[in-house]
């Protein structure tokens, strides 16, 4: 019986004194409250459960989701859904745990709140809903990195994403009206351009016809008319049909074929 209890106790001790580190995880031993500098990767880790434990942390990309009211330059509040993408640098996890503890996500969130308030206060509310959004996101990320580096080294910020931005009702309506006015103005400009092109085309056509008539009238001299008359008489003389030609001797006045 004692032997069974001894075997059972040994098994329980072994089960409670080992940790399995899976892919995407790392382990750090904490002995009497102090973290080891050694980072344990995949595999089984044995430790003394009476004085030590193994803290597991993910090295995969994590996503902190927040819904915040961000201030703008004109003093408005802009509601936005935020995603903070980050991951822990494997070799620096002991530093993160030592300086920030296991609740480091709350530190990241607090740092974001401060950085986002400072950055967004420099921009107008409409900027958060336009092409300036990427600039705002990048500035928040840079400011967060600066603040986090003062507290702990080992948190890699991948991106700060502002999503589902909701502008104040009155501002949203004003922006929509402005965009509609801009579209109407662009449409009218296009119509005017088309009308101008059509008018230019008609002017060019009229000018071409006028020039053609001018050239033709200038080219019809008495000598040219006489030459054309001679050519016409010549063509008539070659015809086998009988005809009556009334002329003043210079130009044909009437040509009537005799059927």
């Amino acid at each position: 019986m004692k032997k069974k209890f001894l075997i059972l106790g040994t098994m329980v001790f072994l089960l409670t004194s080992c940790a399995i580190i899976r892919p995407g995880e790392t382990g750090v031993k904490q002995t009497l409250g102090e973290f080891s500098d050694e980072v344990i990767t995949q595999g089984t880790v044995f430790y003394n459960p009476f004085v030590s434990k193994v803290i597991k942390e993910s090295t995969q990309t994590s996503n902190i989701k927040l819904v915040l009211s961000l201030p703008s330059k004109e003093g408005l509040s802009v509601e936005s859904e935020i995603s903070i993408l980050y991951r822990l640098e494997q070799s620096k996890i002991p530093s993160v745990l030592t300086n920030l503890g296991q609740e480091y996500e709350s530190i990241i969130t607090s740092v974001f709140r401060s950085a986002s308030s400072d950055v967004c206060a420099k921009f107008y509310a409409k900027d958060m809903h336009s092409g300036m959004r990427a600039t705002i996101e990048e500035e928040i990320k840079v400011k967060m990195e600066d603040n986090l580096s003062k507290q702990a080294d080992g948190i890699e910020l991948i991106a700060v994403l502002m999503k589902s931005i909701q502008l104040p009702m009155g501002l949203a309506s004003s922006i929509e009206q402005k965009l509609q006015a801009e579209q109407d103005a662009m449409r009218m400009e296009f119509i005017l351009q088309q009308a101008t092109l059509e008018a230019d085309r008609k002017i060019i056509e009229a000018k071409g016809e006028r020039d053609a008539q001018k050239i033709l009238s200038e080219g019809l001299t008495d000598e040219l008319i006489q030459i054309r008359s001679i050519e016409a008489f010549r063509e008539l003389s070659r015809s086998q049909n009988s005809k009556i030609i009334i002329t003043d001797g210079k130009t044909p006045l009437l040509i009537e074929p005799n059927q």
Side-chain angles (χ1 to χ4, degrees):
M1 182 66 70
K2 290 182 179 181
K3 187 176 181 179
K4 290 182 179 180
F5 278 115
L6 181 61
I7 294 173
L8 181 62
T10 302
M11 291 178 64
V12 172
F13 178 79
L14 290 174
L15 290 174
T16 57
S17 62
C18 71
I20 299 175
I21 310 301
R22 295 176 174 80
E25 290 182 337
T26 57
V28 179
K29 275 187 179 182
Q30 184 181 26
T31 304
L32 297 176
E34 184 177 351
F35 290 102
S36 170
D37 292 333
E38 180 185 1
V39 177
I40 306 164
T41 56
Q42 300 179 33
T44 302
V45 183
F46 292 94
Y47 60 94
N48 185 344
F50 297 107
V51 295
S52 302
K53 61 180 178 179
V54 174
I55 306 298
K56 298 179 185 180
E57 293 293 342
S58 172
T59 55
Q60 297 177 336
T61 299
S62 299
N63 181 13
I64 300 176
K65 294 183 178 180
L66 302 171
V67 177
L68 295 178
S69 179
L70 302 174
S72 67
K73 188 174 182 178
E74 63 266 62
L76 299 176
S77 294
V78 179
E79 297 290 333
S80 177
E81 180 183 336
I82 307 296
S83 284
I84 305 171
L85 303 181
Y86 78 95
R87 61 170 164 256
L88 300 179
E89 297 181 38
Q90 182 174 294
S91 61
K92 298 177 180 179
I93 289 178
S95 172
V96 174
L97 294 175
T98 299
N99 292 284
L100 303 182
Q102 290 181 261
E103 302 299 323
Y104 51 82
E105 281 200 353
S106 64
I107 305 297
I108 296 175
T109 300
S110 297
V111 169
F112 171 80
R113 290 178 184 274
S114 174
S116 61
S117 295
D118 291 344
V119 172
C120 291
K122 299 189 300 182
F123 293 88
Y124 292 105
K126 64 182 180 63
D127 296 334
M128 304 180 197
H129 204 273
S130 65
M132 293 293 292
R133 184 192 305 184
T135 301
I136 298 172
E137 291 172 343
E138 183 61 24
E139 286 197 23
I140 293 174
K141 177 174 172 289
V142 170
K143 194 169 186 64
M144 286 183 66
E145 289 172 337
D146 182 55
N147 292 338
L148 283 172
S149 65
K150 297 175 183 177
Q151 302 180 57
D153 185 22
I155 297 176
E156 179 187 358
L157 289 177
I158 299 172
V160 173
L161 305 176
M162 300 171 63
K163 304 178 294 182
S164 303
I165 294 176
Q166 297 181 1
L167 299 175
M169 186 65 67
L171 179 61
S173 177
S174 298
I175 291 176
E176 290 178 1
Q177 291 176 4
K178 180 182 177 182
L179 292 175
Q180 184 62 46
E182 290 176 351
Q183 291 178 355
D184 292 342
M186 291 175 62
R187 187 181 302 108
M188 182 58 65
E189 183 179 356
F190 175 77
I191 293 173
L192 291 175
Q193 287 178 350
Q194 292 297 107
T196 301
L197 291 174
E198 180 64 17
D200 291 343
R201 184 187 66 80
K202 290 181 178 179
I203 291 173
I204 292 172
E205 286 183 355
K207 185 178 179 181
E209 292 179 2
R210 182 196 65 191
D211 292 345
Q213 292 294 335
K214 183 178 179 181
I215 293 172
L216 183 61
S217 62
E218 290 177 351
L220 289 177
T221 61
D222 293 339
E223 291 79 4
L224 180 59
I225 293 174
Q226 187 173 8
I227 292 172
R228 295 300 185 192
S229 299
I230 294 171
E231 291 177 351
F233 279 125
R234 184 178 298 166
E235 291 296 326
L236 288 171
S237 66
R238 292 175 181 172
S239 174
Q240 297 180 358
N241 297 325
S242 60
K243 72 283 297 182
I244 298 174
I245 301 173
I246 301 175
T247 178
D248 60 355
K250 296 180 180 180
T251 58
L253 301 178
L254 177 63
I255 301 173
E256 180 181 343
N258 186 15
Q259 301 297 332

